[in-house]
Amino acid sequence: MKKTLSAIILVALTAIPAAADEGMWLPSLISQRIGDMQSKGFKLNDEDIYSINRASLKDAVVLFGSGCTGELVSDEGLLLTNHHCGFSYIQKHSSVEHDYLKDGFWALKREQELPNPGLSVSFLDYMQDVTDEVTSADDPQQAIKQIRERAVEGRKGVKASVESLYYGNRYYLFVYKVYTDVRLVGAPPSSIGKFGGDTDNWMWPRHTGDFSIFRVYAGKDNEPAPYSEENIPFTPKRHFKISRAGVSEGDFTFIYGFPGTTREYITSDAVRYISELSDPAKISLRTLRLDIQKKYMSTSPAVRIQYASKNANVANAWKKWQGEMRGIRKMHTVASKEAYEQAFRDWAAGGQYEGVLECLDSLYTLLEPYNFAREYTYESALAVELPQFASNYASAKDEAAAEASAANFYKDWNLDIDKESFIALMKAYATGVADEFKPEYYFESMERLGSVEAWADEVFSEELCGGRLEGIEESAAYAFRKAFVKHYNEVLTPEYSRLSAEITALYRDYMRGQMEFEPQKSFYPDANLTLRVAYGKVGAYEPADGIRYRHVSTVKGIMEKDDPEIYDYNIPQSLRDLYAAGGYEDTPVCFIADNHTTGGNSGSPVINADGNLIGINFDRVWEGTMSDVAFDPEFCRNICLDIRYLLFVVDKVCGAGSLLAELDFAD
Ligand code: ARG
Ligand code: GLU
């Protein structure tokens, strides 16, 4: 009986054509979507995507580090991901003599490949629904612990986690094999891998060759092993074949990867908070910092290098939030959620879900000031660099660690930028945060010193700025950091956490209620850095009235942007020469599709209808960044590197074509 019922549900789910290509689906349940995928052009079946009985595409996809995706492309462990995902490793190997960030890096022989301590890649071994065991336990936390322990018992290099899905309505066990010997094989110069820099970031048309190449190594038994010269290239159960056939408008595409965080089922209050309060405040604080950084970076090449990575990090979310805020407003997400909630309340009246939304509403009202004060403090007082360093230095575990942290800090620190930022941020803090959410220390300091400028003079003392670090715990910088961290942890956070826990518990009901309210709809769980499938199609879009963007970009566009005077647009001479020789105008660079992706999907394989690799995902378009909260098929596009551009760059621009010999081509 049970079986036939679930079979009926399955047929029902499969038969409903999804209105849009929204969704990040669980691979182990992909049988529920496979009919829809096939109707949209996919030629393989569910067992090709995910199987625990035989090799499937999932065996060629990894969590790269702790926040990106990568894919295996040879039977000798060769792995592709984004340049920005490999950035910090490439940077660590770089020096003035060997500037791999600037010039690129190519290991044409295995012994030239560079190990990366701290980097790991995780293959999903299997996932399993453990809801019953967790929810029926007297102590769910204890049950989760036991499930995890059982999963790793007696196995080498295995990691397990139990994650809540649908706000605690489902629990899944994820078991990973973790390989820790991962070596750098190749990276293009930043003028290709980060072409367009932060100006082009989150934008289309795009011409960034955002890829880097690594190799996974294993012990002699092909199992995970710590770095050793004895290790051998890992043979994956499955690797991607590469398709050079290219993409056309409307082609089926599928993204397999590890999306980090989405919040598609939150209430109108939560969305309003994001678009009306949180995003605008964080954007304005970061604008202050970015303007100051830019002023100094544009006049000094040394400062530009010092702040390259910091600036990129600050700018990345800053720009995303702007797109998100505008997208939410443009889509009228708050109003449409309000209308939805009204319908939900009408439906829920008299039943078990009556009052859930009202409770959430009043909890959000209580949470909001704490949430805001936390975020504002984090983006202002806690963003100042010198106090942060003072605290790290003082708490270093030994002298060597302290010295290393000092060397690391001063190398990339600029007093003028940091001090000006302090002044700008603390002036904003004065009015940005309500007095009742400020620490006593703030008022004492302002009263004692009379102005933010005088406070800055005290915090940025001559000793600390000059690197004289004895007695750092007596410094004003240390006291500043300590006071704000204490206030954050001991005053703002406890109440925030208490209310958040209540909200989370209620969301469990609200989520279940939404599923019962709309039984015909397929609900995908919010992203939580677990493996997901997103599918859709290649497609142009119209970002605004009168503008239509094509679905592909080409090398011609790189030449249009090329400018030796502007750092981010100054392409390698070899690319200019190739272009001048002719024949590469139409070489594809990037394409866009309507796959539902988010942060964490960077480096994800972009797969065609035959299951072959056609690109590497690396970004979204600016007008679609609200998709973490609400997906709009008209404006949401993910940006992919065309795999043929990777082949062109490796072979023609960088002269490392011998690396391509181990790839398998489907066509
Ligand atoms: N926007 C992409 C992502 O969210 C790429 C970021 C690369 N960093 C940068 N600042 N350009 O991660
Ligand atoms: N660049 C993002 C990442 O690092 C992917 C872009 C997005 O947020 O969709 O994961």
Side-chain angles (χ1 to χ4, degrees):
M1 176 62 204
K2 223 175 168 183
K3 217 172 185 167
T4 31
L5 191 66
S6 56
I8 293 168
I9 293 173
L10 206 88
V11 171
L13 279 174
T14 328
I16 295 167
D21 297 324
E22 174 178 355
M24 306 171 163
W25 309 95
L26 284 177
S28 65
L29 298 179
I30 205 66
S31 62
Q32 298 173 356
R33 307 299 310 174
I34 197 74
D36 189 44
M37 291 176 79
Q38 288 166 342
S39 77
K40 290 172 172 168
F42 191 49
K43 298 201 190 108
L44 308 183
N45 58 44
D46 50 352
E47 286 269 307
D48 296 315
I49 294 175
Y50 178 93
S51 171
I52 46 171
N53 304 312
R54 60 174 173 88
S56 59
L57 291 180
K58 83 142 170 54
D59 299 309
V61 183
V62 296
L63 177 68
F64 181 86
S66 55
C68 277
T69 304
E71 53 275 4
L72 278 288
V73 289
S74 89
D75 56 13
E76 294 181 274
L78 204 66
L79 176 151
L80 306 180
T81 188
N82 290 145
H83 186 262
H84 78 261
C85 295
F87 198 80
S88 64
Y89 307 101
I90 305 165
Q91 181 179 36
K92 270 177 216 151
H93 294 298
S94 297
S95 61
V96 180
E97 300 78 49
H98 303 283
D99 191 346
Y100 302 139
L101 275 182
K102 181 166 157 285
D103 304 325
F105 170 79
W106 301 99
L108 298 182
K109 297 199 188 92
R110 298 275 157 94
E111 59 272 20
Q112 295 165 340
E113 297 173 354
L114 300 172
N116 300 286
L119 174 61
S120 65
V121 297
S122 308
F123 291 83
L124 179 68
D125 192 16
Y126 67 93
M127 55 195 287
Q128 189 188 344
D129 189 339
V130 293
T131 310
D132 290 343
E133 193 173 343
V134 173
T135 52
S136 67
D138 293 332
D139 181 350
Q141 284 315 315
Q142 187 61 25
I144 287 174
K145 192 165 162 257
Q146 281 166 0
I147 294 169
R148 291 177 43 201
E149 284 170 2
R150 209 189 309 141
V152 302
E153 208 175 285
R155 299 186 64 191
K156 175 170 139 189
V158 171
K159 206 174 71 187
S161 74
V162 172
E163 305 291 344
S164 139
L165 299 167
Y166 301 108
Y167 291 93
N169 285 293
R170 292 269 141 205
Y171 286 90
Y172 268 78
L173 164 68
F174 296 86
V175 179
Y176 301 95
K177 263 196 161 171
V178 184
Y179 287 80
T180 50
D181 185 352
V182 184
R183 305 185 195 169
L184 178 64
V185 174
S190 292
S191 54
I192 289 196
K194 205 174 182 294
F195 179 75
D198 284 298
T199 314
D200 283 13
N201 191 22
W202 298 112
M203 301 290 250
W204 184 258
R206 188 67 157 275
H207 299 87
T208 312
D210 198 345
F211 73 90
S212 58
I213 307 178
F214 289 78
R215 190 185 304 281
V216 184
Y217 278 79
K220 293 240 155 53
D221 53 2
N222 207 38
E223 293 294 316
Y227 171 82
S228 153
E229 275 183 31
E230 309 286 291
N231 283 350
I232 53 166
F234 168 66
T235 308
K237 278 195 237 167
R238 179 78 187 249
H239 65 267
F240 283 101
K241 282 190 183 154
I242 295 190
S243 168
R244 286 170 294 198
V247 296
S248 306
E249 177 99 45
D251 278 0
F252 176 88
T253 58
F254 143 40
I255 304 277
Y256 213 162
F258 289 86
T261 312
T262 59
R263 292 171 289 176
E264 311 287 346
Y265 306 105
I266 54 178
T267 64
S268 54
D269 286 324
V271 177
R272 184 186 297 106
Y273 173 74
I274 294 171
S275 66
E276 303 293 327
L277 283 170
S278 170
D279 281 354
K282 293 186 297 190
I283 292 162
S284 68
L285 288 170
R286 288 200 177 196
T287 304
L288 297 172
R289 289 161 75 193
L290 289 167
D291 285 348
I292 294 164
Q293 290 177 5
K294 193 166 132 204
K295 186 170 83 187
Y296 290 96
M297 288 170 81
S298 63
T299 52
S300 156
V303 176
R304 189 184 49 65
I305 295 167
Q306 282 182 317
Y307 274 69
S309 181
K310 291 176 193 171
N311 182 263
N313 281 333
V314 177
N316 193 40
W318 169 79
K319 196 160 178 184
K320 191 216 140 177
W321 291 326
Q322 294 178 57
E324 176 173 83
M325 182 181 98
R326 289 172 57 128
I328 288 171
R329 290 181 185 172
K330 184 165 172 191
M331 268 180 90
H332 305 291
T333 307
V334 173
S336 63
K337 290 238 175 200
E338 278 169 354
Y340 174 86
E341 286 157 12
Q342 189 51 52
F344 181 90
R345 273 194 294 266
D346 293 346
W347 166 83
Q352 64 162 314
Y353 300 111
E354 183 172 279
V356 170
L357 277 169
E358 287 77 358
C359 281
L360 275 171
D361 191 16
S362 42
L363 284 168
Y364 268 118
T365 308
L366 296 172
L367 181 79
E368 196 165 287
Y370 287 92
N371 199 3
F372 187 79
R374 277 177 100 242
E375 292 199 288
Y376 208 98
T377 304
Y378 187 82
E379 288 286 333
S380 55
L382 298 182
V384 187
E385 297 177 64
L386 188 70
Q388 211 171 322
F389 160 69
S391 155
N392 290 343
Y393 182 85
S395 62
K397 67 177 193 309
D398 53 40
E399 204 158 312
E403 257 171 54
S405 97
N408 214 1
F409 174 75
Y410 285 105
K411 173 176 156 285
D412 288 338
W413 178 69
N414 180 280
L415 166 61
D416 295 326
I417 292 181
D418 201 20
K419 191 170 173 183
E420 270 183 47
S421 298
F422 175 96
I423 294 171
L425 292 171
M426 293 317 289
K427 282 187 172 166
Y429 179 88
T431 50
V433 173
D435 282 350
E436 57 185 302
F437 292 106
K438 290 182 180 128
E440 217 21 66
Y441 174 81
Y442 171 83
F443 299 107
E444 283 164 16
S445 305
M446 286 301 287
E447 199 174 288
R448 185 166 53 81
L449 295 157
S451 72
V452 171
E453 284 81 358
W455 195 2
D457 286 337
E458 185 183 81
V459 166
F460 292 84
S461 69
E462 233 171 84
E463 293 79 49
L464 267 198
C465 296
R468 292 186 297 282
L469 303 177
E470 55 285 351
I472 199 166
E473 287 171 46
E474 310 307 323
S475 70
Y478 182 83
F480 175 88
R481 177 82 187 177
K482 195 168 166 221
F484 277 96
V485 167
K486 188 169 157 47
H487 179 71
Y488 187 90
N489 288 340
E490 294 176 16
V491 177
L492 301 179
T493 299
E495 189 59 3
Y496 169 85
S497 301
R498 189 184 70 73
L499 291 164
S500 295
E502 278 190 50
I503 288 174
T504 305
L506 272 176
Y507 263 119
R508 183 173 169 185
D509 292 339
Y510 182 46
M511 186 75 229
R512 202 171 54 241
Q514 292 184 66
M515 293 165 112
E516 289 176 27
F517 175 50
E518 291 188 284
Q520 74 292 351
K521 180 173 160 181
S522 315
F523 286 82
Y524 56 93
D526 266 328
N528 61 352
L529 210 65
T530 57
L531 189 60
R532 302 297 175 89
V533 168
Y535 60 92
K537 57 189 172 305
V538 172
Y541 78 113
E542 299 181 5
D545 184 42
I547 311 173
R548 182 173 172 81
Y549 283 144
R550 271 202 319 162
H551 64 286
V552 291
S553 63
T554 62
V555 168
K556 186 169 168 237
I558 297 181
M559 303 313 297
E560 287 169 359
K561 289 178 179 174
D562 177 29
D563 185 344
E565 300 297 310
I566 305 177
Y567 181 80
D568 286 329
Y569 294 96
N570 181 10
I571 60 172
Q573 189 54 39
S574 58
L575 181 51
R576 281 185 201 118
D577 296 343
L578 277 168
Y579 193 79
Y584 294 111
E585 280 204 5
D586 297 328
T587 301
V589 178
C590 297
F591 63 89
I592 48 175
D594 67 355
N595 298 93
H596 192 178
T597 55
T598 187
N601 272 124
S602 276
S604 296
V606 186
I607 305 161
N608 69 6
D610 299 306
N612 298 320
L613 190 72
I614 51 172
I616 306 175
N617 187 72
F618 72 94
D619 210 359
R620 274 176 289 165
V621 304
W622 199 58
E623 301 83 1
T625 45
M626 71 296 189
S627 66
D628 292 350
V629 175
F631 185 91
D632 183 338
E634 223 185 301
F635 297 107
C636 292
R637 295 290 180 275
N638 58 314
I639 307 180
C640 315
L641 171 79
D642 191 306
I643 202 70
R644 294 169 299 171
Y645 185 57
L646 179 149
L647 301 173
F648 167 76
V649 168
V650 173
D651 185 23
K652 300 282 191 281
V653 183
C654 299
S658 61
L659 280 175
L660 305 176
E662 64 184 281
L663 302 181
D664 276 333
F665 292 97
D667 48 46

